[in-house]
């Protein structure tokens, strides 16, 4: 039987026996399809995972998502399609795991996490035009100084770890013994301070992007 | 960091607002936001603050992009 409405889904998932089994099977197929599509299109993850690892990851995350959905069923308020709500939870689980794995590789490149901003922020070398290269260096030195001198130690840690080193917000929250919302607030405060300090020095977004030859 | 991420960093600094939606608030709204968007409604106007959060938080944006594709694909796939 086709499960169509939110009420159908809730009834089926709360039912015992075959009806619940069918609903879980349907959800599992949807999640696996979503995960395979995502993993197939994400070039970075495709390079990092063998096809067997990707298959196993999709299976594990689908299973975890089904457990989570059953656990959180009572919190579904019926304001969206049930399948959209369930898929949101499933995708969050997959991406959280992917970010954790990406970070495991990235973290090896950094001897100190959240310590100080890089000497040079982008992968590309400085401009070949000596005058522009000097301007780039001057602007970056100002940004670096603000990060090092005006941000609090916590703001600096979150900004550097997340933005420059690629540590996921959830893992920063775990490390700091807090939650993701609090980490986001710290990052938000760091951005506000950077904006205030740069504006005070008369530096605009357009100017920085122009100096770094970022036009789009 | 590539140039795209550097541009995102600079834009996120200058686009910062005094009050911003938190990630938990965003995830609470996200399924409704995507449903409305896929239905062709003006989700940005119905849920102010979501688009700004998407610009400011790349991790939440990654979830949004994947969800939008999944819901669109589900809508386009004819039922058996």
């Amino acid at each position: 039987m086709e499960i169509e409405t939110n009420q159908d889904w809730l009834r089926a998932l709360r039912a015992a026996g075959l009806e619940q089994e069918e609903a879980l099977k349907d959800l599992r197929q949807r999640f696996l399809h979503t995960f395979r599509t995502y993993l197939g299109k994400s070039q970075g993850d495709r390079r990092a995972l063998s096809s067997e690892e990707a298959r196993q990851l999709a299976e594990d995350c689908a299973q975890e998502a089904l457990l989570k959905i059953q656990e959180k069923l009572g919190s579904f308020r019926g304001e969206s399609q049930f399948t959209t709500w369930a898929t949101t939870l499933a995708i969050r689980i997959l991406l959280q795991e992917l970010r954790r794995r990406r970070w495991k590789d990235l973290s090896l490149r950094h001897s100190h996490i959240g310590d100080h901003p890089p000497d040079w922020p982008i992968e590309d070398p400085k401009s070949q035009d000596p005058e522009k290269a000097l301007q780039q260096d001057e602007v970056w030195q100002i940004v670096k100084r603000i990060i090092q001198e005006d941000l609090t130690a916590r703001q600096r840690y979150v900004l550097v770890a997340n933005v420059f080193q690629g540590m996921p917000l959830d893992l920063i929250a775990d490390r700091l013994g807090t939650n993701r919302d609090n980490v986001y607030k710290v990052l938000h405060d760091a951005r506000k301070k950077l904006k205030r300090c740069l504006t005070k020095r008369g530096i605009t977004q357009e100017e920085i992007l122009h100096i770094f030859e970022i036009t789009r | 960091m590539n140039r795209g991420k550097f541009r995102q960093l600079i834009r996120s600094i200058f686009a910062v607002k005094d009050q911003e939606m938190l990630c938990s608030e965003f995830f609470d709204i996200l399924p409704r936001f995507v449903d409305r968007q896929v239905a062709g409604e003006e989700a940005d106007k119905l849920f102010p603050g979501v688009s700004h959060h998407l610009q400011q938080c790349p991790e939440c944006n990654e979830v949004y992009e994947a969800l939008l594709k999944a819901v669109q694909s589900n809508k386009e796939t004819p039922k058996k």
Side-chain angles (χ1 to χ4, degrees):
Chain A
M1 190 185 76
E2 186 79 46
I3 305 174
E4 287 187 347
T5 68
N6 287 350
Q7 290 309 318
D8 289 345
W9 277 108
L10 291 176
R11 194 194 58 252
L13 288 167
R14 284 177 177 142
L18 195 63
E19 195 178 359
Q20 187 194 48
E21 217 174 280
E22 288 294 320
L24 289 172
K25 198 174 149 191
D26 188 332
L27 279 181
R28 186 172 170 278
Q29 288 306 322
R30 285 168 190 263
F31 297 162
L32 287 176
H33 175 72
T34 298
F35 293 168
R36 284 182 195 131
T37 306
Y38 182 85
L39 291 169
K41 285 183 180 162
S42 170
Q43 287 190 353
D45 295 314
R46 213 169 49 200
R47 273 197 299 270
L49 295 168
S50 69
S51 59
E52 176 53 26
E53 283 170 331
R55 192 195 61 76
Q56 191 59 51
L57 175 67
E59 291 280 352
D60 292 348
C61 289
Q63 189 56 34
E64 195 182 330
L66 292 177
L67 291 172
K68 188 113 183 170
I69 282 157
Q70 286 174 291
E71 185 190 307
K72 288 183 146 262
L73 210 53
S75 68
F76 175 63
R77 299 190 297 269
E79 294 168 336
S80 66
Q81 293 291 320
F82 176 79
T83 48
T84 310
W85 177 81
T87 308
T88 305
L89 287 177
I91 287 172
R92 285 184 68 187
I93 287 170
L94 175 74
L95 291 189
Q96 197 170 26
E97 179 56 25
L98 283 172
R99 278 196 281 267
R100 197 187 61 76
R101 291 181 185 209
R102 287 173 204 154
W103 172 244
K104 206 174 157 190
D105 295 336
L106 274 176
S107 63
L108 301 174
R109 296 186 200 169
H110 308 291
S111 52
H112 298 285
I113 306 298
D115 205 13
H116 53 78
D119 292 333
W120 177 243
I122 51 178
E123 290 159 0
D124 302 340
K126 288 174 195 167
S127 173
Q128 293 195 341
D129 173 352
E131 196 183 331
K132 198 129 219 179
L134 189 66
Q135 287 178 324
Q136 289 176 342
D137 205 41
E138 277 174 3
V139 166
W140 183 243
Q141 290 309 317
I142 292 171
V143 175
K144 258 180 73 179
R145 209 161 41 242
I146 295 169
I147 293 171
Q148 281 165 327
E149 294 173 10
D150 293 289
L151 300 191
T152 65
R154 202 170 175 87
Q155 288 167 351
R156 184 164 50 253
Y157 179 85
V158 171
L159 182 84
V160 172
N162 180 251
V163 177
F164 295 107
Q165 297 177 327
M167 187 175 186
L169 294 174
D170 287 319
L171 292 185
I172 295 176
D174 287 347
R175 186 169 287 199
L176 294 179
T178 184
N179 60 43
R180 176 160 166 170
D181 278 347
N182 283 335
V183 173
Y184 187 81
K185 274 186 210 162
V186 174
L187 192 57
H188 174 247
D189 288 341
R191 286 175 179 148
K192 281 206 296 190
K193 203 171 276 180
L194 271 160
K195 181 183 178 181
R196 198 164 53 237
C197 293
L198 288 168
T199 306
K200 212 164 96 181
R201 288 166 172 83
I203 299 171
T204 65
Q205 170 182 311
E206 292 69 27
E207 188 184 356
I208 298 176
L209 295 180
H210 175 72
I211 288 171
F212 278 84
E213 298 170 326
I214 296 171
T215 48
R216 280 192 305 117
Chain B
M1 166 182 292
N2 61 32
R3 281 170 179 267
K5 285 190 176 164
F6 184 70
R7 181 175 58 229
Q8 153 70 21
L9 164 67
I10 300 303
R11 285 188 174 164
S12 72
I13 290 169
F14 285 94
V16 73
K17 292 180 178 175
D18 282 343
Q19 295 292 323
E20 288 188 7
M21 184 178 277
L22 298 173
C23 300
S24 63
E25 295 167 324
F26 168 79
F27 286 125
D28 189 47
I29 294 173
L30 182 62
R32 283 177 278 164
F33 182 83
V34 167
D35 275 348
R36 298 294 185 99
Q37 204 171 30
V38 171
E41 296 177 44
E42 289 185 283
D44 290 349
K45 286 185 183 165
L46 290 165
F47 302 104
V50 170
S51 295
H52 183 70
H53 187 78
L54 286 171
Q55 285 169 21
Q56 297 294 87
C57 186
E59 290 184 25
C60 287
N61 189 56
E62 202 180 5
V63 175
Y64 159 76
E65 297 276 357
L67 180 65
L68 182 65
K69 282 191 186 115
V71 175
Q72 279 170 337
S73 149
N74 193 38
K75 196 184 172 194
E76 285 159 13
T77 308
K79 285 181 183 169
K80 288 175 191 166

